[in-house]
Amino acid sequence: MKMAWRDSRKNRSRLLLFMSSIILGIAALVAVYSFKANLQRDIDEQAKTLTGADLIVDSRRPLSPAVKALLDTLGSKRARERNFVSMVYFMKGEGSRLVEIKALNGDFPFYGSIETKPISAAKTFKTDRKALVDHTLMLQYQAKLGDSIKIGNLSFVIEGSLESVPGQTGLASTVTPVVYIPLEYLEKTGLTQLGSRIQTRYFYKYQDVASVNRDLKRHQQLLDKEQLRTETVATKKESTGRAFKNLNQFLALSGFIALLLGCIGVGTSIQVYIKEKLGTIATLRCLGLKAREAFLIYLLQVAVIGLLGAAAGAFLGTALQFLLPLILKDFIPVELSMGVSWAAIGQGLATGLIISVLFALPSLISVRNISPLNAIRASFEGAKPKRDPLKWLVYLLIIGFIYGFTYLQMKDAIQAFAFVAGILLAFLLLVGQSQLLMLVLRKMIPERMAYVWRQGFANLYRPNNQTMVLSLAIGLSTLFIVTLYLVQGVLLNKVEVSGSGSKSNMVLFDIQPVQKEPLVKLLKTNHLPVLGQVPIVTMRIIEIKGKTAAQYGDTAGKDKEKSMLRAFRGEVRATYQQNLRATEKIMEGKWIGTTPEAGTVFISLEQNYAAGINVGIGDSIVFDVQGMPVKTKVGSLRSVDWNTVQPNFRVVFPAGVLEEAPQFHVFMTHVAAAEQSAELQAKVLKQFPNVSIVNLDMILKTIGSLLDKVNFVIRFMAGFSMATGWIVLLSAVMSSKGQRLKESVLLRTMGASRKQILTITGLEYLFLGFIATAAGIILAVLGSWALAVFALKSVYAPEILPLLVFLVVIPLLVMLTGLYSSRSVLNHPPLEILRKES
Amino acid sequence: MIPPVEHILNIRNVSKIYENAGHKLTVLDQINFSIQRGTTVAITGPSGSGKTTLLGLCAGLDRSSSGTVSLNQVDLDELTEDERAAVRNRYVGFIFQNFQLLPTLTALENVMVPLELRGEKNIKKHALDLLDKVGLADRSGHYPVQLSGGEQQRVSLARAFSNQPAILFADEPTGNLDAETSDKVIKLLFDLNKEAGTTLVIVTHDLDLAAKTNRMIKLKGGVVVADLDLNHG
């Protein structure tokens, strides 16, 4: 141990470089682990405020008297909320917006609170025709307390601004802002009529958890039969934790990639360090040091420095975790607390130590083979590493570790395998690319080329070059960063493609049959086209293949039959039409557009929906259309392009069946400017208060701001990889600095000018940076193409300009780093450096 | 006063003082001498007497603290580092105790470097001839690490003469070699020097080697203590 300490004295700066390679990776992991631990603790502690009640029962349809009676007896305290999406009209500013209306009675929430300004508004709004309006919505429409809003036929006075609702994230409120009104006024708004998708939520407070479970157990069968969904504090806790699994996985894997990049830094620094120590080790071997002892000296140094690096990373990570909640607060439904997570720090320290030792091992085990003869002659042939079977074992261990770590994050063997295989493939391709580059340069550099160019290029394949290491560091960093960028582009593109062109960008829905004519007239007088009119009929499935839900329930042991049970739950929104639309394509069977009187009704199902409920061509389905049973047979299966701005349906009826059924309509139109859109919304809302309007531009804007937030998180995590990639680059450049410096000084001594030295060094790094960046970009394009085409099923059209920017900026950064390391040659007289070198 | 044409190197009142944390260390103090073109000169003295510092100043590798160094009628103190590099490339050759070959270049490439820096073309044959003269034509493709110390120094000799320098500076050229190899290298050095008519300045401890030159300048404590004419006739 004493020897390990003494020996490290002169080269600690090299070891510091090694240490700095892992600091950021460990910091990222510790920050993510701490965040995960704190989030889990917060979810556990605040679980009751997530639900606001001990038990919630959800229903989307009228209840049977038996269930009604049951629901009135549960719990010690009760509250009820009916919620749906509708338009709200700000009377003073004359603006309107699609919101989620929550009509509430009782003392919900029983735990936590609806946070309002003023605080008292959360209680007082229930006493009269008053409303609580989402605070961002109020800002957006410059509404003040005391102003009026109109919902359906009724106006409400704004009693308070809604700051937060139990269990709702900031993001959710951006997508559909909430407006609370007292339940007793809901009927009078006229919005509870047929066709409105209203969800009713029953909230219950219990004395203890055991009572909740006892009640659930006792009444589960009835609740299931009526297809009512229940939620308890425990199930909410579980589902919230599950929702954050993907986020945590993404964060942890991003951190791990930064750490893997750092591992390349570890490998490089230790390789150079051991090379520098060759003489010392040989001398010690001459003096009687055993090979195993030599190995242990350096193993100990690496372990200690690795642990110090991990400790610094853990410290930084613990500090950084205070940033994560700020970045992620919009995604999280609980109030985040921050604290030191010793488990996360422990994990970080262990990971840092294992990674340092593991990635240093390929160089460390070669210490065993250093001959004492090296002390006499540095070029002793025996110093060349023989094929060491232990090295292969180490490589296997490294791959095993990466797989194990990934598996721990993903808990899915195949996904973990795909991730590791992807990284390994990228690694091998980059190594292959660097070898090919060296081969091509060696063979292809023409002798007539100017000396500085030849020297710059030749440095890339000459002995002790850093081509492979730099290619890996630059290539992998580029690959990761550009892939993130491109995938994010694909996601945005997917949204924008759907909304481009002069197709409809405004959808009006919940139109009653009697409102059709006057609404068309209104659109026409405003010079707006009616791009589509679609009837919608709501219904329920009551029989599939001759069996009811109850009959399937009895045989519900099998998975297939279980999946069929889902079909009976909830409402089906179907349309009827004679001809297929452009977004639909028959994949199986035949489309029959009209049904003769008393003939068989052949419907068409969307193919994935049909597969989900386990029906095929010829199967029978009976629908309950507002109390009237309608027998049908599946006549065809369709594919539907859902990425279009128009209503699409899973179930389509032919003409001649549903025309007389209670229905509502959806219109599509195209508005050119925001003013026109606002004007139309105001007019429609005044004349037809029940009609809701969705403005695609606003949806795009909302999705844009949502993606901006996601992007920021992605960029934040990619930042670790970028910074680590740069540190590894710096470390690789610094590793070869000694040799480069010596060469440059000798060239200077022989008369090379400043320009010549700068050109040689600059060309070397610029060219290497360019090739590695190009390789990284090509791999990223291939990877993101595969992701776009196969996973996201999207059109792939990456923008060229940003890729070119990457291709210019990264090599320049590499070159500047290389030139920076050579600056001492230019700033000092050659003799001064020659003396130091000797 | 304009120095006589036959003097390739003129050192006038040259001092070199290093300052470290306010402490001044005078390594060379008021040195004066001139060297005639085509002669061979040895600079000798004990360790720490300032020999290598003086050689560095003479060759334009460093700047003096005071005084003037004029090489081939060019006043080095007036020049920028780039201009001095150009002077070195044009007039000066070097041989170092530890050979100082570029480890990433082959023997042949090492010999070609000074000419390539000048931008000269078709120099391979000239470099191969030089390697042949030092007996290493068959090792032209080898990297320094693949050569013995004696072989490395012979490559270094070939490199030093490759740009046909007006003056050659050798810093302890045999310091890292055994006696037998030293003799061979020194013989080669003097033979090549004679053939090229180059001025040779050798810094050495080795009095036997110094005795082979025309003149010996002895340094001690940073001052010239003797300047002996060793003309062997």
Side-chain angles (χ1 to χ4, degrees):
Chain A
M1 194 175 295
K2 209 184 280 174
M3 191 61 218
W5 171 247
R6 277 190 210 139
D7 181 81
S8 72
R9 264 192 305 233
K10 249 201 108 184
N11 302 70
R12 283 189 196 137
S13 61
R14 178 86 59 225
L15 291 172
L16 271 178
L17 264 181
F18 144 46
M19 196 168 101
S20 57
S21 303
I22 60 165
I23 288 178
L24 281 180
I26 294 292
L29 279 182
V30 171
V32 171
Y33 289 154
S34 303
F35 168 72
K36 190 175 158 185
N38 291 340
L39 180 66
Q40 193 53 53
R41 199 191 50 228
D42 290 336
I43 289 175
D44 287 347
E45 284 173 4
Q46 299 170 40
K48 280 195 171 181
T49 61
L50 279 175
T51 51
D54 291 307
L55 173 67
I56 303 172
V57 179
D58 278 353
S59 157
R60 283 190 178 276
R61 53 209 258 184
L63 300 172
S64 68
V67 170
K68 234 177 199 169
L70 169 71
L71 292 179
D72 286 345
T73 60
L74 294 176
S76 59
K77 258 183 158 184
R78 295 169 205 103
R80 189 155 64 103
E81 173 195 292
R82 301 194 77 194
N83 62 63
F84 57 97
V85 171
S86 183
M87 299 299 280
V88 65
Y89 179 66
F90 289 85
M91 295 170 81
K92 199 168 144 198
E94 300 206 325
S96 55
R97 167 80 149 92
L98 196 69
V99 297
E100 185 179 10
I101 308 281
K102 288 179 184 249
L104 183 67
N105 78 355
D107 289 335
F108 178 81
F110 306 122
Y111 307 105
S113 57
I114 296 175
E115 281 175 32
T116 54
K117 267 185 194 166
I119 297 168
S120 60
K123 289 203 184 329
T124 54
F125 87 97
K126 290 178 211 159
T127 58
D128 204 347
R129 233 166 64 195
K130 293 173 182 171
L132 301 175
V133 179
D134 179 90
H135 68 289
T136 47
L137 200 62
M138 287 191 56
L139 271 179
Q140 204 179 342
Y141 290 90
Q142 295 175 344
K144 294 195 169 51
L145 299 187
D147 285 357
S148 290
I149 53 169
K150 197 172 175 196
I151 298 169
N153 299 322
L154 221 54
S155 64
F156 293 82
V157 174
I158 301 176
E159 176 76 354
S161 90
L162 192 58
E163 304 296 313
S164 83
V165 178
Q168 190 171 28
T169 62
L171 208 63
S173 70
T174 315
V175 180
T176 41
V178 171
V179 171
Y180 270 105
I181 56 168
L183 184 62
E184 58 179 300
Y185 295 103
L186 180 62
E187 286 296 326
K188 289 179 197 151
T189 62
L191 296 175
T192 51
Q193 54 202 288
L194 196 73
S196 302
R197 291 185 64 138
I198 300 185
Q199 181 188 37
T200 309
R201 309 192 83 197
Y202 300 86
F203 302 109
Y204 300 98
K205 187 174 194 274
Y206 277 82
Q207 296 302 337
D208 50 53
V209 182
S211 316
V212 181
N213 294 336
R214 196 184 50 234
D215 268 4
L216 270 179
K217 208 172 170 186
R218 193 185 299 162
H219 306 297
Q220 193 69 54
Q221 213 171 1
L222 179 63
L223 295 171
D224 278 352
K225 195 179 159 207
E226 295 276 334
Q227 290 160 25
L228 297 176
R229 244 179 272 166
T230 55
E231 193 173 47
T232 62
V233 176
T235 58
K236 181 72 178 177
K237 219 156 81 175
E238 207 184 301
S239 66
T240 312
R242 225 180 11 244
F244 288 102
K245 206 179 126 204
N246 284 343
L247 176 70
N248 278 323
Q249 262 181 17
F250 165 76
L251 294 175
L253 284 181
S254 304
F256 187 49
I257 286 176
L259 192 60
L260 279 181
L261 277 175
C263 292
I264 299 171
V266 169
T268 320
S269 331
I270 295 301
Q271 192 190 9
V272 177
Y273 181 64
I274 296 296
K275 213 179 248 177
E276 283 173 358
K277 287 289 179 185
L278 200 87
T280 312
I281 298 167
T283 308
L284 288 170
R285 297 275 282 119
C286 284
L287 297 175
L289 189 79
K290 290 177 192 147
R292 198 177 62 89
E293 290 168 335
F295 169 75
L296 284 176
I297 286 176
Y298 293 97
L299 180 70
L300 200 63
Q301 283 182 9
V302 165
V304 169
I305 296 292
L307 205 57
L308 283 177
F315 179 74
L316 188 64
T318 306
L320 270 175
Q321 60 142 335
F322 289 89
L323 275 182
L324 276 177
L326 294 180
I327 295 159
L328 297 167
K329 67 174 188 303
D330 280 341
F331 298 90
I332 291 160
V334 290
E335 202 164 301
L336 278 167
S337 63
M338 287 159 281
V340 176
S341 164
W342 291 107
I345 291 173
Q347 268 175 299
L349 288 178
T351 311
L353 180 63
I354 293 171
I355 271 212
S356 307
V357 171
L358 213 50
F359 282 78
L361 268 182
S363 301
L364 286 182
I365 56 173
S366 64
V367 168
R368 293 159 32 254
N369 302 327
I370 292 174
S371 162
L373 277 173
N374 281 100
I376 301 165
R377 191 168 164 181
S379 59
F380 175 65
E381 295 294 318
K384 287 197 170 168
K386 291 175 207 149
R387 281 187 189 280
D388 192 340
L390 256 185
K391 259 194 184 168
W392 291 106
L393 183 71
V394 171
Y395 292 143
L396 271 178
L397 273 175
I398 289 175
I399 294 173
F401 172 78
I402 298 175
Y403 179 81
F405 190 92
T406 314
Y407 178 75
L408 280 179
Q409 307 308 315
M410 295 182 146
K411 301 269 192 286
D412 181 324
I414 294 172
Q415 274 184 14
F417 177 79
F419 179 82
V420 176
I423 285 191
L424 214 60
L425 185 70
F427 190 90
L428 289 176
L429 285 172
L430 285 169
V431 169
Q433 168 260 318
S434 62
Q435 298 294 333
L436 187 70
L437 175 70
M438 287 192 260
L439 187 78
V440 168
L441 284 176
R442 187 175 290 142
K443 301 266 178 211
M444 305 278 278
I445 296 181
E447 272 191 38
R448 277 170 303 151
M449 189 185 260
Y451 168 71
V452 286
W453 282 74
R454 252 185 310 130
Q455 177 73 20
F457 288 142
N459 280 345
L460 293 172
Y461 64 79
R462 284 179 167 150
N464 300 330
N465 65 69
Q466 295 284 314
T467 305
M468 197 171 87
V469 172
L470 287 177
S471 288
L472 277 172
I474 302 164
L476 283 180
S477 313
T478 309
L479 167 65
F480 186 50
I481 296 153
V482 176
T483 304
L484 284 177
Y485 178 82
L486 289 175
V487 169
Q488 158 192 325
V490 169
L491 290 174
L492 280 170
N493 196 31
K494 200 173 155 81
V495 176
E496 274 160 15
V497 162
S498 344
S500 61
S502 63
K503 290 175 188 164
S504 51
N505 62 358
M506 187 173 267
V507 182
L508 298 91
F509 56 94
D510 283 347
I511 303 162
Q512 302 301 316
V514 288
Q515 295 173 323
K516 261 175 77 181
E517 287 292 320
L519 192 56
V520 170
K521 212 167 145 194
L522 177 73
L523 288 173
K524 282 194 175 152
T525 51
N526 282 280
H527 311 289
L528 291 171
V530 180
L531 295 170
Q533 290 186 32
V534 183
I536 295 178
V537 181
T538 53
M539 54 189 78
R540 285 192 307 121
I541 294 178
I542 49 174
E543 224 182 270
I544 299 177
K545 298 185 203 172
K547 279 193 201 173
T548 62
Q551 285 165 319
Y552 277 108
D554 295 341
T555 57
K558 301 167 197 167
D559 281 352
K560 265 190 179 177
E561 311 240 308
K562 240 182 195 170
S563 74
M564 291 176 83
L565 266 178
R566 272 203 300 266
F568 294 96
R569 255 180 231 145
E571 208 174 50
V572 174
R573 297 187 142 205
T575 191
Y576 56 91
Q577 62 192 31
Q578 196 158 5
N579 299 310
L580 288 178
R581 279 175 292 163
T583 53
E584 299 170 317
K585 198 175 156 195
I586 295 294
M587 307 304 286
E588 212 182 321
K590 201 179 157 198
W591 169 247
I592 298 159
T594 46
T595 306
E597 217 169 304
T600 309
V601 179
F602 287 104
I603 57 165
S604 180
L605 298 185
E606 194 270 327
Q607 54 184 4
N608 294 327
Y609 175 66
I613 62 170
N614 195 27
V615 295
I617 302 286
D619 286 340
S620 66
I621 302 178
V622 180
F623 291 91
D624 171 0
V625 183
Q626 320 281 331
M628 170 87 80
V630 177
K631 287 184 181 176
T632 66
K633 266 194 176 358
V634 178
S636 61
L637 301 179
R638 291 163 305 132
S639 73
V640 175
D641 179 7
W642 298 99
N643 297 330
T644 48
V645 188
Q646 62 176 49
N648 284 304
F649 299 88
R650 293 188 293 199
V651 181
V652 176
F653 277 69
V657 186
L658 300 175
E659 277 76 355
E660 301 306 318
Q663 57 193 270
F664 64 95
H665 292 258
V666 173
F667 282 13
M668 275 88 65
T669 185
H670 179 89
V671 287
E675 298 81 44
Q676 202 181 7
S677 159
E679 202 182 318
L680 176 73
Q681 289 192 40
K683 281 180 182 166
V684 169
L685 210 62
K686 241 177 200 170
Q687 214 174 321
F688 313 101
N690 64 302
V691 173
S692 295
I693 299 175
V694 173
N695 186 345
L696 180 75
D697 295 334
M698 206 187 71
I699 290 181
L700 281 181
K701 230 168 150 185
T702 310
I703 294 176
S705 76
L706 192 149
L707 283 177
D708 274 351
K709 282 175 181 161
V710 176
N711 282 351
F712 186 70
V713 178
I714 292 175
R715 284 201 194 117
F716 181 77
M717 291 313 291
F720 284 100
S721 294
M722 283 164 74
T724 306
W726 189 74
I727 290 176
V728 172
L729 171 74
L730 195 68
S731 144
V733 170
M734 296 303 245
S735 304
S736 60
K737 184 184 165 185
Q739 181 181 313
R740 292 273 174 277
L741 208 63
K742 190 178 170 188
E743 281 175 10
S744 301
V745 170
L746 282 173
L747 289 173
R748 202 91 171 112
T749 307
M750 284 182 276
S753 66
R754 183 189 178 91
K755 193 178 152 198
Q756 283 174 315
I757 299 283
L758 281 177
T759 312
I760 290 170
T761 315
L763 269 175
E764 177 186 350
Y765 288 109
L766 186 68
F767 187 66
L768 178 61
F770 180 80
I771 295 288
T773 306
I777 289 177
I778 290 171
L779 288 177
V781 168
L782 287 176
S784 52
W785 168 80
L787 214 61
V789 172
F790 299 114
L792 299 171
K793 309 257 183 239
S794 179
V795 184
Y796 188 63
E799 276 182 72
I800 301 294
L801 191 68
L803 294 184
L804 289 177
V805 171
F806 279 118
L807 198 57
V808 170
V809 171
I810 298 176
L812 278 177
L813 193 69
V814 175
M815 186 184 79
L816 288 175
T817 307
L819 288 177
Y820 178 76
S821 76
S822 313
R823 73 198 186 288
S824 51
V825 182
L826 305 169
N827 298 340
H828 296 91
L831 191 66
E832 196 180 307
I833 299 169
L834 273 177
R835 276 179 184 277
K836 274 186 198 163
E837 284 297 312
S838 58
Chain B
M1 193 181 95
I2 299 166
V5 175
E6 63 268 23
H7 284 155
I8 189 163
L9 185 68
N10 277 290
I11 306 291
R12 290 285 165 264
N13 305 319
V14 166
S15 297
K16 181 71 182 176
I17 300 160
Y18 288 105
E19 277 190 50
N20 192 6
H23 184 75
K24 284 186 179 178
L25 176 69
T26 305
V27 180
L28 293 173
D29 192 13
Q30 296 289 319
I31 306 287
N32 283 287
F33 64 83
S34 298
I35 293 176
Q36 267 188 330
R37 193 182 293 273
T39 55
T40 53
V41 179
I43 298 172
T44 63
S47 294
S49 59
K51 299 187 299 289
T52 303
T53 307
L54 180 58
L55 179 129
L57 294 178
C58 294
L61 293 174
D62 202 357
R63 280 176 198 276
S64 60
S65 305
S66 62
T68 56
V69 177
S70 160
L71 180 75
N72 210 24
Q73 297 185 55
V74 179
D75 194 346
L76 296 181
D77 300 283
E78 303 290 311
L79 304 181
T80 64
E81 178 46 42
D82 259 6
E83 287 165 337
R84 278 188 282 145
V87 169
R88 288 197 296 269
N89 186 250
R90 204 161 153 208
Y91 303 123
V92 182
F94 288 98
I95 296 167
F96 299 99
Q97 179 178 359
N98 46 2
F99 326 131
Q100 299 284 19
L101 294 176
L102 289 159
T104 57
L105 303 191
T106 62
L108 178 66
E109 288 167 338
N110 262 292
V111 177
M112 284 159 52
V113 165
L115 294 170
E116 290 192 301
L117 283 173
R118 261 186 210 180
E120 288 190 22
K121 306 272 177 195
N122 305 320
I123 48 175
K124 198 169 174 183
K125 191 177 172 308
H126 173 61
L128 275 170
D129 284 347
L130 277 167
L131 276 179
D132 192 33
K133 277 182 187 165
V134 297
L136 290 171
D138 56 335
R139 310 290 299 269
S140 64
H142 286 69
Y143 286 98
V145 71
Q146 296 167 307
L147 302 172
S148 69
E151 286 169 333
Q152 287 191 48
Q153 195 59 306
R154 276 147 66 195
V155 174
S156 163
L157 276 179
R159 183 179 68 183
F161 283 100
S162 69
N163 61 339
Q164 292 155 317
I167 186 165
L168 184 64
F169 293 98
D171 183 12
E172 302 280 8
T174 56
N176 275 354
L177 301 173
D178 60 59
E180 196 183 331
T181 315
S182 290
D183 288 346
K184 279 185 196 166
V185 167
I186 290 304
K187 186 174 181 317
L188 257 174
L189 172 63
F190 276 87
D191 286 351
L192 286 168
N193 188 57
K194 199 172 176 185
E195 192 184 318
T198 314
T199 308
L200 177 63
V201 179
I202 304 175
V203 164
T204 183
H205 279 109
D206 183 351
L207 290 179
D208 287 342
L209 170 57
K212 290 189 167 77
T213 61
N214 303 131
R215 180 179 167 193
M216 180 158 59
I217 298 168
K218 280 189 177 177
L219 286 181
K220 196 174 178 187
V223 293
V224 176
V225 291
D227 190 344
L228 307 170
D229 185 352
L230 305 175
N231 239 319
H232 306 287

